[in-house]
């Protein structure tokens, strides 16, 4: 009889933890595009608010994961296990992707980073 996999609940947790922002991006971001098809500046402003909160969540997640790691392996990437890479390495890639969006890499910017855009609060 095979033994149960003790880390399986943890993998389910992380699967759903990362699934929720992906659903937000695929469904919510498409709704923004469909609702404001002729106003890319408004689309970008709404999308930017969501991306800003996700980038902030990424940064705090990375910081908390590094602080929670044992001191002897905290910055020794070769000693990390798969869960550490999922919590830190993967989230760093996500955060860099969001920062590249704000920098306008690979896209045309309409609101973020435009000097002539009227930014009102």
């Amino acid at each position: 009889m095979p033994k149960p996999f003790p880390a399986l609940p943890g993998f389910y947790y992380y699967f759903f933890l990362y699934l929720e922002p992906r659903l937000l991006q695929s469904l919510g971001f498409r709704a923004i595009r469909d609702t404001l098809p002729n106003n890319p500046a408004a689309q970008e402003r709404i999308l930017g608010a969501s991306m800003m909160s996700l980038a902030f969540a990424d940064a705090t997640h990375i910081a908390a994961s590094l602080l929670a790691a044992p001191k002897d392996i905290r910055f020794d990437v070769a000693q990390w296990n798969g869960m550490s890479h999922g919590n830190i390495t993967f989230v760093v890639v996500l955060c860099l992707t969001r920062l590249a969006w704000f920098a306008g890499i690979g896209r045309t910017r309409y609101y973020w980073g435009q000097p002539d855009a009227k930014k009102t609060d």
Side-chain angles (χ1 to χ4, degrees):
M1 177 172 216
K3 291 184 177 182
F5 188 53
L8 194 58
F11 286 115
Y12 285 143
Y13 170 77
Y14 282 108
F15 172 78
F16 289 109
L17 177 74
Y18 289 112
L19 177 67
E20 190 273 328
R22 301 303 80 76
L23 287 174
L24 169 70
Q25 290 177 353
S26 10
L27 302 174
F29 295 174
R30 181 180 172 134
I32 294 169
R33 185 190 67 204
D34 292 346
T35 304
L36 303 166
N38 299 320
N39 192 346
Q43 289 178 19
E44 187 172 309
R45 188 170 183 187
I46 295 168
L47 184 66
S50 177
M51 294 288 263
M52 184 77 73
S53 67
L54 289 170
F56 180 75
D58 290 342
T60 56
H61 186 89
I62 293 165
S65 296
L66 285 173
L67 288 173
K71 287 184 179 183
D72 56 331
I73 67 164
R74 187 173 292 162
F75 298 106
D76 187 6
V77 179
Q79 296 291 323
W80 290 357
N81 60 15
M83 198 65 86
S84 298
H85 281 291
N87 278 329
I88 300 169
T89 310
F90 181 66
V91 177
V92 165
V93 170
L94 291 175
C95 189
L96 289 174
T97 304
R98 297 187 216 305
L99 294 176
W101 183 88
F102 279 107
I105 297 173
R107 69 181 192 87
T108 303
R109 294 190 294 183
Y110 296 98
Y111 181 79
W112 293 97
Q114 297 301 316
D116 58 333
K118 292 183 180 178
K119 295 182 181 180
T120 58
D121 293 325

